[in-house]
């Protein structure tokens, strides 16, 4: 009798030993599902939720139109938009307009890659600009994507001008904001910064120089420009924050490769005379998603 029961006892022992294994498999599967859900949640947030980062800079004591009496220069606020990549933009643009309307910037700088390719919907981009332009004067330079589509971008540039956007292709414009005279220079994609883009009138008196340039990897050249045209502030984009960010560092960027040196945020020369602020961009391009790297709009305040 005892011999006949041995197989039954052995089977029960095997059944009991399988239960912990099943539990482990189930726990591993559940952990993988939860981890995947969390990652997808982060990706969704990173694709759709804009991070507004605030910077304060010193105008270096420059005086503008109201400076004869020695009064301090009032603040100037700049909203910096870059790399929207229509039609691949995923953020809620209505919320962007609402935020900008509350912030009331004095200038909106768009630093390239407004569109991703020639298949963008012209009406969609036109509607975006139509709603953006009334908020504040808009200054635009192109990026590598507009350059890539060549003549197909010409209607885009014309549409921007029709809506009052100042399109700067290796050109400078002078404006006065809250009493401070400002020279805004815009470079076409991958151009070098040069004296020839200025007129003599821009040197009649000191002013605050803002350079819009899509490519931040040229920062050493921008910051080493001759004193007469050395920018006080450079606004750039292009790198998408390295697309994926680990411990605050971008993973890869065009023009810089892995772990780029210039991937987002504020950079300064040793003497503090020139600053560069890089937007991590708003839309998606080659990669369809961002990770640990939400769409980014720098809000820059310059004080006298």
């Amino acid at each position: 009798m005892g011999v006949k029961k041995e197989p039954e006892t052995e089977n029960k022992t095997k059944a009991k030993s399988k239960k912990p294994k099943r539990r482990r498999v189930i726990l591993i599967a559940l952990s993988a599902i939860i981890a995947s859900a969390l990652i997808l949640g982060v990706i969704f947030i990173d694709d759709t939720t804009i991070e507004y980062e605030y910077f304060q800079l010193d105008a270096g004591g420059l005086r503008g139109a109201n400076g004869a009496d020695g009064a301090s220069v009032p603040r100037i606020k700049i909203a910096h938009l870059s790399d929207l990549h229509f039609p691949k933009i995923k953020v809620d643009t209505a919320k962007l307009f609402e935020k900008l309307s509350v912030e009331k910037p004095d200038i909106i700088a768009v630093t390239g890659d407004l569109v991703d390719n020639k298949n963008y919907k012209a009406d969609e981009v036109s509607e975006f600009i139509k709603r953006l332009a009334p908020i504040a004067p808009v200054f635009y330079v192109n990026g590598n994507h507009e350059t890539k589509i060549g003549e197909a971008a010409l209607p885009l540039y014309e549409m921007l001008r029709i809506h009052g956007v100042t399109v700067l292709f290796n050109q400078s414009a002078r404006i006065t904001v809250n009493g401070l005279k400002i020279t805004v220079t815009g470079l076409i994609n991958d151009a070098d910064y040069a004296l020839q883009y200025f007129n003599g009138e821009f040197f009649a008196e000191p002013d605050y120089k803002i350079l819009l340039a899509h490519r931040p990897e040229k920062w050493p050249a921008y910051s080493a420009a001759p004193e007469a045209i050395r920018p006080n502030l450079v606004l750039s984009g292009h790198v998408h924050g390295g697309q994926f960010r680990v411990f605050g560092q971008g993973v890869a960027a065009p023009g810089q490769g892995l772990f780029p040196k210039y991937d987002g945020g504020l950079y300064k020369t040793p003497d503090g005379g020139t600053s560069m602020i890089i937007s991590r961009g708003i839309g998606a391009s080659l990669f369809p998603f961002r990770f640990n790297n939400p769409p980014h709009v720098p809000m820059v305040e310059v004080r006298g």
Side-chain angles (χ1 to χ4, degrees):
M1 296 292 291
V3 173
K4 290 181 181 178
K5 288 182 179 179
E6 281 181 6
E8 185 179 348
T9 303
E10 185 178 343
N11 289 337
K12 286 182 179 179
T13 303
K14 287 182 179 179
K16 287 180 181 179
S17 66
K18 287 180 180 178
K19 286 183 180 179
K21 291 181 180 178
R22 288 198 199 99
R23 290 195 194 100
R24 282 197 297 270
V25 171
I26 292 170
L27 285 173
I28 291 170
L30 284 174
S31 298
I33 291 169
I34 292 170
S36 298
L38 288 172
I39 291 171
L40 289 173
V42 170
I43 289 172
F44 176 79
I45 292 171
D46 281 356
D47 281 349
T48 61
T49 305
I50 295 176
E51 175 188 319
Y52 296 88
E53 186 173 6
Y54 293 81
F55 300 89
Q56 285 194 350
L57 301 175
D58 185 356
L62 290 174
R63 295 291 181 267
N66 299 331
D69 59 358
S72 296
V73 177
R75 69 116 175 99
I76 303 160
K77 185 181 285 188
I78 306 165
H80 179 199
L81 312 183
S82 193
D83 299 271
L84 289 95
H85 286 278
F86 281 98
K88 296 181 179 180
I89 186 170
K90 298 178 182 178
V91 300
D92 186 339
T93 55
K95 290 183 179 179
L96 171 63
F97 295 133
E98 183 180 347
K99 176 68 172 177
L100 293 178
S101 296
V102 170
E103 290 287 346
K104 293 181 169 56
D106 300 297
I107 298 171
I108 298 174
V110 180
T111 55
D113 285 1
L114 176 60
V115 300
D116 190 80
N117 56 53
K118 63 183 178 182
N119 297 318
Y120 69 90
K121 297 176 182 177
D123 290 344
E124 184 182 20
V125 182
S126 179
E127 183 61 28
F128 177 84
I129 295 299
K130 192 186 298 183
R131 295 187 64 185
L132 183 68
I135 297 173
V138 179
F139 294 83
Y140 164 88
V141 295
N142 68 2
N144 54 295
H145 277 259
E146 289 95 339
T147 301
K148 184 178 179 180
I149 63 178
E151 291 187 359
L154 295 179
L156 170 69
Y157 304 148
E158 183 60 24
M159 179 274 292
L160 293 171
R161 294 186 180 101
I162 288 172
H163 289 307
V165 174
T166 301
V167 177
L168 295 172
F169 287 169
N170 295 345
Q171 297 167 303
S172 295
R174 198 173 207 184
I175 59 172
T176 300
V177 178
N178 295 335
L180 180 63
K181 289 183 178 177
I182 301 171
T183 295
V184 183
T185 303
L187 298 185
I188 61 172
N189 175 59
D190 208 22
D192 293 323
Y193 189 42
L195 181 65
Q196 68 197 55
Y197 306 147
F198 294 81
N199 296 324
E201 64 184 275
F202 295 127
F203 307 112
E205 56 184 297
D207 57 0
Y208 190 80
K209 294 180 177 61
I210 299 174
L211 173 62
L212 311 183
H214 186 62
R215 293 178 179 266
E217 66 268 25
K218 292 195 170 193
W219 162 247
Y222 304 148
S223 58
E227 187 64 30
I229 62 169
R230 183 181 176 188
N232 299 96
L233 172 62
V234 180
L235 298 177
S236 291
H238 189 48
V239 295
H240 290 242
Q243 193 72 39
F244 311 108
R245 293 182 72 79
V246 181
F247 302 112
Q249 168 67 55
V251 173
Q256 297 183 68
L258 293 175
F259 305 108
K261 183 176 182 179
Y262 309 112
D263 64 349
L266 175 64
Y267 300 81
K268 286 189 172 186
T269 54
D271 65 1
T274 301
S275 301
M276 176 171 69
I277 293 176
I278 303 172
S279 167
R280 298 197 305 273
I282 295 176
S285 184
L286 295 177
F287 289 99
F289 63 89
R290 307 158 71 98
F291 183 76
N292 198 27
N293 177 29
H296 182 226
V297 174
M299 301 296 297
V300 186
E301 185 176 85
V302 180
R303 291 182 176 272

